[in-house]
Amino acid sequence: MANVAVINYGPLNDYAAMLPELADRLHVFSHHELADTGRFARYEYVPDCEFVPYAELRIRQLAKEERFSHLITDNEYDLERAARIRADLDIPGQSPVSALSFRDKVVMKQVAERAVATPRFARLATITDLTDFIDDNGYPVVVKPVKQGGSRDIVVLRDEEELVAFSRRHWRDDLMAEEYVEGDIYHVDAVLADGYRFVASSRYLRNCLGVLSGQNNGSLQLHPQDKLAKRLEEFLDSVLDVFDTPATGAYHLEVFHTLDDELLLCEIASRVGGSRIPALTRATYGLDLLTTWLRLSCGLPVDPAPSTPPNTLHGSVAIVPPGRPVGAPPQPPFAWVRHYQVNDKLPPGATAQNSTSHLCFAIVEGADTLQVEQRLFEVEDWLLANLREAPQREGRRP
């Protein structure tokens, strides 16, 4: 079997465990230093790998000596680079056209609106484009980079005063405007391939943008037989029908459910969902999204997709950094908390930088979505009540 190139992002990814049949054929270029790399054909830790072209250059050079059968990546921001290499080296997998349609949110919505409803949107070249959009659609309006993720660098403008304040920022050439949508936000996580189908739907606990104003975030799973879960799965299929998709794909779809019961596309990514989504999926379905996607992408066998409805559901809540030095609470005293984790790498006094920023998080179990939600609010209240305030430092004496 030919070599497999890997551009890695996840600091805990264990490729030897996920792809044991290929371990000695893996050429891994990693954003983070990985453990257990001795079995790889090649391993290089590449600082700032996401921003430097070294991995792409080396893969192209190595391909002159022995071809690569597959090129895989777990990173949203490497999808276009990986697709470009595949096209040039005749490696099967996602094409550049496909990668762009899932990365550029304007292109994404232009493609998706052929099949489903989307919020009104426009690419912004100048501030006049923004004011024209506001004149046509009114406030509030969302302004965001077209290729960012995790709610990074998103601004919601609610009136003229906030527009004027926004105009004092350095202008970027990668912005779009979008209609602000009231309602809940759901996410659909899927791995799809010939002969394989896994789809699971969940609801975000709160609007993802709320993290940037100090709201805690999380999500809770829907039962697969829930009527809305079935609508969301059909929505996913409708979206993918108009996209150029690879033979094997992982998808993270976000959908607005409006106050008048309409579904609108928020975004869709062609990769595994981030944050606690993989952990929740393992807890409920016994399925590892990343391992399944990568194995199928490399033509390796996987267990059949779960077909039996789960007995329990799970959800997570993350406490955002409060912007002052605090210690995370101890393990919550509830039997239904299935996992609790503290972010030991968070600097004192940190504030939320994106939707994944957290001081700590808990995963809870429940019989249904309603019970999971009730327990998420209960453990959230307990965690907030048990934050440990850091002692104030005494000033220096003269």
Side-chain angles (χ1 to χ4, degrees), residues 250-268:
Y251 303 99
H252 175 66
L253 167 70
E254 295 181 337
V255 182
F256 295 112
H257 185 209
T258 69
L259 301 179
D260 57 359
D261 196 33
E262 185 179 10
L263 298 182
L264 302 179
L265 174 78
C266 176
E267 298 176 4
I268 183 169

Side-chain angles (χ1 to χ4, degrees), residues 320-329 346-351 359 386-393:
V320 301
R324 65 183 191 277
V326 296
L346 191 70
T351 58
L359 172 69
N386 285 274
L387 291 175
R388 294 178 290 184
E389 298 291 336
Q392 296 291 327
R393 293 184 179 179

